[in-house]
Amino acid sequence: MEQKIRLHIEGMTCQACASRIEKVLNRQGAVLEAQVNFAGEEAQVRFDAERTDAEAIAAWIARAGFQARPAAEPVLPDAPVAMPWRVRLLLLLCLPFALGMAGMLAGSHALMPMPWWQFVLASIAQWGLAWPFYRGAWASIRGGLANMDVLVSLGTVSIWAYSSWMLLRHGNSHAAMDHLYFEAGVMVLAFVSLGKFLEERTKKQSLNSLGLLLQLTPRQVRKRIDGQWQRVAVDQVALGDELQAHHGERVAADGVVVSGEAWFDEGHLTGESKPLFKQAGDRVLAGALNTDGSVVYRATALGRNTLLGDMMQALAEAQGSKAPIARVADKVAAVFVPMVVVIALITLVLTGWLTGSGEQALTHAVAVLVIACPCAVGLATPAAVMVGMGRAARYGVWFKDAAAMERSSKVDTVVLDKTGTLTTGQPAVVAVWAAGAAGENELWRLAAAVESQAQHPLAQAVVKAARVRGIQWPEAKQARNHVGDGMAAEVAGVGTVRVGKPEFCGFRLPEKLLQQAVWQHASLVAVSVDGRAVGALALADTLKPDSLAAVRRLQAQGIEVQIMSGDHAGVVAHVAGQLGIVHYHARMSPRDKAEAVRALMAAGRVVAMVGDGINDAPALAAADVGFAMHGGADAAEHSASATLMRHSADQVADALALARATLRNIKQNLFFAFFYNMLGIPLAAVGWLNPVLAGAAMALSSISVLGNALRLRRSRLT
């Protein structure tokens, strides 16, 4: 039986560590697939539950030199991530050396500590504060892999050992200072540690969107206890409890409004920019903000069982997945560190041979080791994916995994179902014709009087439209339903009123009227009194308000838009004409839709299918990318690559634009990371970068990649 678990990994320092864990796990026969996200510090493992379990998987990871534990629900931190004491102390030890280096730039060695003091300070840093690097290096080597810790450990220990030897040879004199490089080792340790801290803080506080989602859940809520309202912690709420939400407060649980009225902003889940009005009987969602009013609601779902909790779980899994383009970084990381060690050794030998200076040779070799950390390469893809996924979720688009987002970036053809996707899926009055002098008001009165006795969707649409217009209608009696034709009833002071097909009502609509497109493709509801025509209503499935804008946005992005529907050809043609869509297909079965999608893909198109019904499930599964409407058929959501929370085609345009922006960001990150190493290693090898500058540059490279990924939060979606 297949199962899937998420594990939090401790001890990873670069992408090489993540690659090592993946190799260890994927070699196990019981593991079906393992993906490790360096930026998210998580592993997602699919395994055969009959052959292994979570404890065995954690043990395999431990043997690779890392600690694993089940990924817990994210917790909102009470305070920003604090700088560890070890990093603070390293920076403090740097101060005497920094002052001395500033004096050396001015031509004086007076500010540099005496050699033995340099030895003491460097030894404290090297053997008291650098232990995380040694521990990581030993675990990496024991696991058969060399990571960033190996490079830093080799470089700084070499500097300390060489400088200590020079100190013993030349003694505690100012003349010995020309042969000492203790400051380089201390500053490399300090800068690399500071860079890792900044990287960690960025990942935990800025990169991941889960913390922002957590802030949507109030920590306290008013609960009715023995008839009194009392403020309690949200974890003390149980199913069925009655809670209160006033203006400016957020909803603590999914629930149903018991009393009161209010406007709620649910954009955190749906991407909808407008507040929604809620009253008794309506559903409210955890995290929704009450923008005006006050309600009492009964809790129907709590914690991870709410829609917000489901979103957080889906986002965590999606952010932890690996995009296909990330395999580039994995392959590089697997061979990068050993190659750097070889390059450093060659630099050591060649520089020593060409210059005759062991000091210079060691300095160049150490600079190569320090500058070549593969952290930026490892962060390039997962950092962008985490930010892109988080922003997509805020737009109401839930990608199932990173691979789906990457595929979405390449879509050039979007196939849209009609009913429920482009249209509301509910009939509405789209045109009115009144016969004689009675006028439209009389038509609405009589139509609503009879249709109020029926349950048919067309009848309910007529009554709803009349109510919106403020129409008051008389009572209809002796209502008689003529199946397939319409309904007749007696209205006092009026006579026998018939509502239904024109033939049933005893008259034909004018030819000039029937030549209009809106009447040709609509369902007709005629009204007559004792055989005399009163008028007619045209009802049709209307376009959603944002469908036209969505189609235009997609077309502006260079994407071809098509409609595939099971509806009549005339109706589909009418909708396509309204939207400016050239390619449309009608009367299509679920199999027809799936085969048509496959045909487009066989022709070289990258196809996204958008639908909401069971009949769309085969096409959603067949397409390169499937977008399903949330709350539609379960089969459709299960078959799709992403879920649209707002039931809007405009979200497809958002999703595709954001996917392209994310892929561009990944490519920018990879280019920067590779270019940085391609440029930095030669500069270090020839001596243009000393170890101190190399350490600072290495730390800066990771922060730069994270900063570029964070730009996705503000990128424009066209």
Side-chain angles (χ1 to χ4, degrees), residues 93 96-97 99-101 104 108-123 163 166-167 170-183 186:
L93 292 176
F97 292 110
L99 290 172
M101 292 176 69
M104 291 171 63
S108 171
H109 286 74
L111 296 178
M112 182 66 76
M114 291 300 292
W116 280 107
W117 275 112
Q118 292 186 41
F119 171 79
V120 170
L121 295 175
S123 297
S163 298
M166 289 294 103
L167 176 61
H170 297 281
N172 189 36
S173 64
H174 284 287
M177 291 186 182
D178 293 334
H179 305 280
L180 304 182
Y181 295 92
F182 285 120
E183 75 280 359
V186 175

Side-chain angles (χ1 to χ4, degrees), residues 348-620:
L348 179 68
V349 173
L350 285 180
T351 305
W353 178 60
L354 293 173
T355 65
S357 170
E359 300 172 4
Q360 190 173 352
L362 179 63
T363 303
H364 291 191
V366 169
V368 169
L369 290 173
V370 174
I371 195 69
C373 172
C375 289
V377 176
L379 288 169
T381 299
V385 166
M386 291 176 72
V387 177
M389 287 284 188
R391 188 172 182 192
R394 291 198 296 276
Y395 275 88
V397 181
W398 295 9
F399 283 103
K400 284 189 176 179
D401 51 41
M405 175 174 270
E406 183 174 334
R407 290 195 303 271
S408 297
S409 69
K410 303 171 184 176
V411 166
D412 57 24
T413 304
V414 171
V415 175
L416 299 163
D417 175 48
K418 179 184 71 68
T419 306
T421 302
L422 292 171
T423 64
T424 61
Q426 298 178 348
V429 177
V430 294
V432 179
W433 170 73
E440 286 189 14
N441 191 64
E442 183 68 8
L443 170 65
W444 280 109
R445 289 180 66 253
L446 298 180
V450 177
E451 295 287 60
S452 64
Q453 308 296 311
Q455 298 299 318
H456 190 276
L458 293 180
Q460 293 178 357
V462 170
V463 173
K464 180 180 178 181
R467 187 175 289 117
V468 169
R469 287 168 172 77
I471 301 295
Q472 300 292 325
W473 56 82
E475 182 181 4
K477 297 181 178 180
Q478 302 178 26
R480 302 175 300 279
N481 184 26
H482 297 260
V483 179
D485 290 324
M487 179 172 283
E490 302 299 322
V491 177
V494 177
T496 301
V497 179
R498 287 195 170 199
V499 179
K501 292 181 178 179
E503 303 82 39
F504 172 71
C505 295
F507 67 91
R508 289 178 56 84
L509 297 181
E511 284 298 324
K512 183 179 294 186
L513 191 69
L514 293 176
Q515 290 175 2
Q516 299 177 19
V518 66
W519 290 89
Q520 289 178 357
H521 305 302
S523 298
L524 305 183
V525 176
V527 180
S528 68
V529 175
D530 297 330
R532 173 179 56 83
V534 176
L537 305 171
L539 287 89
D541 186 6
T542 57
L543 290 175
K544 290 182 177 179
D546 57 2
S547 290
L548 179 58
V551 170
R552 288 180 174 173
R553 281 186 65 194
L554 290 169
Q555 291 172 338
Q557 294 173 19
I559 295 173
E560 181 180 300
V561 182
Q562 299 189 14
I563 297 177
M564 292 186 186
S565 174
D567 211 338
H568 297 286
V571 175
V572 178
H574 178 61
V575 171
Q578 289 179 292
L579 296 174
I581 296 175
V582 177
H583 301 286
Y584 56 88
H585 312 272
R587 289 195 173 279
M588 300 191 79
S589 67
R591 181 183 294 274
D592 292 336
K593 290 184 180 181
E595 290 179 351
V597 166
R598 292 192 188 97
L600 287 170
M601 294 165 61
R605 300 291 188 90
V606 181
V607 181
M609 173 69 195
V610 188
D612 70 335
I614 294 177
N615 61 332
D616 298 317
L620 288 168

Side-chain angles (χ1 to χ4, degrees), residues 107-285:
S108 171
H109 286 74
L111 296 178
M112 182 66 76
M114 291 300 292
W116 280 107
W117 275 112
Q118 292 186 41
F119 171 79
V120 170
L121 295 175
S123 297
I124 293 173
Q126 197 70 53
W127 305 113
L129 302 176
W131 54 267
F133 296 106
Y134 303 144
R135 185 178 61 187
W138 172 244
S140 176
I141 294 171
R142 188 180 60 184
L145 186 74
N147 64 0
M148 178 205 75
D149 292 329
V150 173
L151 299 180
V152 173
S153 299
L154 281 175
T156 56
V157 168
S158 298
I159 290 174
W160 182 89
Y162 179 83
S163 298
S164 298
W165 172 249
M166 289 294 103
L167 176 61
L168 291 175
R169 285 187 60 186
H170 297 281
N172 189 36
S173 64
H174 284 287
M177 291 186 182
D178 293 334
H179 305 280
L180 304 182
Y181 295 92
F182 285 120
E183 75 280 359
V186 175
M187 288 192 169
V188 165
L189 290 173
F191 286 153
V192 173
S193 298
L194 178 61
K196 296 302 293 181
F197 161 69
L198 295 175
E199 175 187 311
E200 185 73 11
R201 188 177 67 176
T202 302
K203 289 192 294 184
K204 289 186 175 180
Q205 296 186 183
S206 302
L207 200 61
N208 203 329
S209 299
L210 292 175
L212 297 177
L213 293 177
L214 280 170
Q215 295 176 12
L216 300 177
T217 304
R219 298 191 177 188
Q220 291 188 324
V221 64
R222 277 182 295 275
K223 171 181 170 181
R224 194 195 300 271
I225 302 177
D226 297 330
Q228 301 293 322
W229 291 108
Q230 298 183 24
R231 187 171 289 277
V232 300
V234 71
D235 58 7
Q236 296 181 27
V237 175
L239 292 177
D241 285 348
E242 290 190 355
L243 311 173
Q244 203 172 44
H246 292 316
H247 171 73
E249 296 179 341
R250 291 193 179 273
V251 177
D254 287 358
V256 176
V257 177
V258 176
S259 62
E261 298 177 346
W263 291 84
F264 286 92
D265 179 2
E266 296 180 348
H268 65 295
L269 290 173
T270 64
E272 175 63 63
S273 59
K274 298 179 181 178
L276 302 175
F277 180 71
K278 306 283 185 176
Q279 56 187 352
D282 290 338
R283 184 187 181 198
V284 290
L285 302 175

